[in-house]
């Protein structure tokens, strides 16, 4: 009897284990299906959002102006067209409008110069963004080249670097240092502004190749007429004509030392956000002043500010994006909140209160009546 009981007991345990395994496997399968469905929804949503951005950017006068300037640049270079496009620094286009619009311009460029092959890279890309880029037919570079990709000399390459750091541009120039630059069109932040707007010491330390090539660059200024000014501001087209490159000194190309940067100077390395903490605190303080909900948990705006602060706790920039992007946005919004509060106080103080007496009017403008004590 005891043996039978033991046998039955073991059998029941086995059944429980099988049932548990079936239950666990079933839950796992359900979870996998749910995750795959969520990913599919995210993927489709990213593509639909990008389609809208492409339509918006494609219809913009700014895009037509870029195409016109590129046609002019190709004519000066004596080139038939663009055969390859390399793009660095788009950022997380599923999260940020600026990145999405910059990617939309890239897709418009690809469509115009089809069948040009397009290579893209940003260490910030999420897995679903990489998948979307590949679905769109773009080649995602697998490793972080730090901008040091060497382009082929026998064809024209467009290098698109929207709001990338000067170190990244400097690295690209270093990698292609030589008369082969005549086959490159650089669509990036103004090189002349990079040199003119920074201290010479900083330029020497972080943009030595930009400084050296600057006298021989032909720069086409782009009029920023896009509806969102921050997306393409300071973006210009640069070409390196053979005529200008022939003017360089005899030993100009021989001096080619790999750039090295101090950690605190490298914008595509992580930096601390301690210097921006005061802006976050000021924003929270101003929002609490103007909001009825003083608690962070109950205030959607305060929650958003704190989420952004945590998201950028390691860097105030979105990797390759414009310098101090978060700081500039925070300063602008802080100025808006303070100005709004000041406007309310001025209106409250000087708003009409009906008919005033002569004394009240005199006091309001700082005048004294004859019978007032001196």
């Amino acid at each position: 009897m005891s043996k039978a009981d033991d046998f039955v007991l073991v059998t029941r345990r086995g059944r429980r284990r099988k049932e548990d395994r079936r239950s666990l496997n079933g839950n796992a399968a359900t979870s996998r299906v749910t995750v795959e469905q969520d990913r599919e929804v995210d993927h489709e949503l990213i593509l639909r959002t990008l389609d809208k951005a492409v339509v918006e950017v494609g219809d913009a006068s700014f895009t037509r102006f870029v195409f016109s300037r590129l046609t002019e640049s190709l004519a000066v270079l004596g080139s038939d067209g663009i055969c390859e496009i390399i793009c660095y620094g788009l950022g997380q286009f599923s999260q940020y409008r600026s990145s999405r619009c910059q990617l939309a311009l890239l897709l418009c460029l690809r469509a115009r110069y089809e069948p040009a092959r397009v290579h893209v890279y940003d260490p910030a890309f999420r897995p679903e963004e990489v998948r979307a880029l590949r679905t769109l037919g773009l080649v995602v570079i697998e490793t972080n080249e730090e901008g040091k990709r060497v382009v082929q000399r026998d064809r024209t390459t467009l290098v698109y670097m929207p709001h990338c750091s000067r170190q990244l541009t400097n690295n690209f120039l270093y990698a292609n240092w030589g008369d082969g630059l005549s086959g490159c069109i650089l669509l990036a932040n103004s090189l002349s502004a990079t040199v003119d707007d920074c201290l010479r010491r900083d330029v020497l330390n972080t943009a030595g190749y930009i400084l050296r090539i600057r006298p021989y660059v032909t720069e086409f200024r782009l009029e920023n007429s896009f509806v969102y000014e921050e997306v393409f501001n300071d973006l210009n087209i640069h070409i390196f004509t053979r005529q200008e490159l022939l003017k360089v000194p005899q030993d100009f190309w021989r001096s080619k030392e790999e750039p090295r940067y101090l950690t605190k100077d490298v914008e595509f390395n992580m930096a601390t956000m301690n210097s921006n903490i005061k802006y976050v605190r000021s924003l929270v303080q101003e929002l609490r002043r103007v909001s009825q909900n003083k608690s962070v948990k109950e205030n959607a705006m305060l929650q958003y500010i704190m989420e952004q602060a945590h998201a950028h706790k390691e860097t105030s920039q979105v990797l390759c994006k414009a310098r101090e992007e978060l700081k500039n946005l925070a300063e602008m919004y802080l100025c808006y909140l303070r100005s709004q509060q000041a406007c309310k106080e001025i209106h409250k103080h000087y708003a009409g209160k009906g008919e005033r007496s002569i004394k009240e009017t005199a006091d309001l403008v700082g005048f004294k009546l004859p019978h007032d004590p001196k």
Side-chain angles (χ1 to χ4, degrees):
M1 183 69 180
S2 61
K3 290 182 180 179
D5 289 341
D6 290 342
F7 180 78
V8 171
L9 185 60
V10 171
T11 303
R12 285 177 180 172
R13 284 179 182 170
R15 284 176 182 170
R16 286 195 187 107
R17 286 172 185 161
K18 287 181 180 178
E19 289 172 359
D20 290 344
R21 280 197 294 270
R22 282 198 297 268
S23 177
L24 289 172
N25 290 338
N27 290 338
T30 303
S31 299
R32 282 196 297 271
V33 171
T34 303
V35 170
E36 290 300 326
Q37 288 176 345
D38 289 343
R39 287 177 179 173
E40 192 64 33
V41 169
D42 290 343
H43 180 67
E44 295 300 325
L45 179 60
I46 290 174
L47 293 178
R48 286 199 303 271
T49 307
L50 275 176
D51 285 341
K52 293 179 181 178
V54 169
V55 172
E56 182 179 20
V57 173
D59 291 339
S61 60
F62 174 79
T63 303
R64 293 192 293 272
F65 188 56
V66 171
F67 289 164
S68 173
R69 285 297 201 182
L70 285 174
T71 301
E72 185 178 350
S73 301
L74 289 169
V76 173
L77 292 173
S79 174
D80 295 332
I82 293 171
C83 300
E84 185 179 35
I85 302 175
I86 299 171
C87 177
Y88 293 119
L90 285 174
Q92 295 179 349
F93 54 86
S94 65
Q95 303 292 316
Y96 301 100
R97 181 180 63 193
S98 293
S99 299
R100 191 157 49 248
C101 291
Q102 290 162 3
L103 173 56
L105 178 60
L106 176 63
L107 295 173
C108 291
L109 290 167
R110 194 267 302 267
R112 182 173 180 86
Y113 296 106
E114 200 172 10
R117 190 175 177 86
V118 180
H119 301 265
V120 294
Y121 181 79
D122 195 307
F125 285 154
R126 296 182 173 188
E128 59 268 24
E129 292 172 330
V130 172
R131 182 186 174 194
L133 291 169
R134 287 173 175 160
T135 300
L136 293 168
L138 278 59
V139 180
V140 180
I141 300 172
E142 297 291 341
T143 59
N144 188 352
E145 303 170 336
E146 295 184 347
K148 299 174 184 176
R149 171 165 287 233
V150 179
V151 301
Q152 297 189 25
R153 299 168 62 95
D154 58 345
R155 58 187 182 184
T156 303
T157 301
L158 173 64
V159 184
Y160 176 40
M161 302 170 69
H163 293 173
C164 287
S165 66
R166 58 178 177 265
Q167 289 93 336
L168 205 63
T169 305
N170 196 58
N171 281 357
F172 175 78
L173 292 173
Y174 153 75
N176 295 276
W177 197 244
D179 56 9
L181 284 172
S182 61
C184 294
I185 299 177
L186 186 61
L187 179 56
N189 286 2
S190 170
L191 297 188
S192 58
T194 299
V195 174
D196 295 339
D197 296 347
C198 299
L199 295 175
R200 184 173 178 82
R201 180 185 68 251
D202 293 337
V203 175
L204 286 171
N205 291 335
T206 61
Y209 285 96
I210 296 177
L211 180 63
R212 291 167 61 186
I213 200 66
R214 186 267 181 95
Y216 311 103
V217 175
T218 303
E219 185 168 336
F220 294 92
R221 184 174 177 271
L222 295 178
E223 190 71 32
N224 185 12
S225 59
F226 194 61
V227 60
Y228 308 119
E229 185 178 354
E230 74 280 2
V231 175
F232 300 114
N233 67 303
D234 198 36
L235 204 64
N236 284 348
I237 293 173
H238 311 78
I239 60 174
F240 312 87
T241 64
R242 290 185 176 87
Q243 293 87 339
E244 289 297 321
L245 295 183
L246 288 174
K247 299 177 183 178
V248 303
Q250 188 173 3
D251 59 345
F252 186 77
W253 305 116
R254 295 177 187 172
S255 177
K256 184 183 177 182
E257 184 177 350
E258 185 171 3
R260 298 186 182 277
Y261 311 105
L262 297 175
T263 303
K264 66 183 181 66
D265 290 333
V266 182
E267 296 177 32
F268 43 81
N269 283 347
M270 294 300 184
T272 61
M273 189 196 164
N274 292 336
S275 61
N276 294 325
I277 290 295
K278 62 179 182 179
Y279 295 106
V280 177
R281 289 175 177 170
S282 299
L283 279 171
V284 172
Q285 183 180 6
E286 289 298 323
L287 283 172
R288 280 177 170 159
R289 284 181 59 190
V290 301
S291 176
Q292 295 179 351
N293 293 328
K294 305 299 181 182
S295 172
V296 174
K297 294 182 179 180
E298 299 175 358
N299 191 308
M301 287 188 293
L302 286 174
Q303 284 184 349
Y304 178 77
I305 293 294
M306 297 309 298
E307 287 172 1
Q308 291 300 304
H310 286 301
H312 292 78
K313 65 182 178 181
E314 291 182 326
T315 173
S316 63
Q317 305 159 50
V318 185
L319 293 161
C320 300
K321 308 305 287 181
R323 291 194 69 185
E324 300 180 340
E325 182 175 8
L326 177 65
K327 176 184 173 183
N328 293 335
L329 289 173
E331 283 182 320
M332 182 172 61
Y333 192 46
L334 182 60
C335 178
Y336 166 77
L337 289 174
R338 287 175 174 170
S339 301
Q340 189 180 50
Q341 186 65 22
C343 180
K344 288 181 179 179
E345 292 174 357
I346 292 172
H347 184 268
K348 181 179 178 180
H349 184 73
Y350 291 103
K353 299 179 181 179
E355 189 174 348
R356 292 187 175 90
S357 66
I358 297 176
K359 179 172 175 50
E360 287 177 338
T361 305
D363 291 340
L364 184 64
V365 297
F367 290 164
K368 289 184 177 294
L369 297 177
H371 53 74
D372 286 342
K374 295 183 179 179

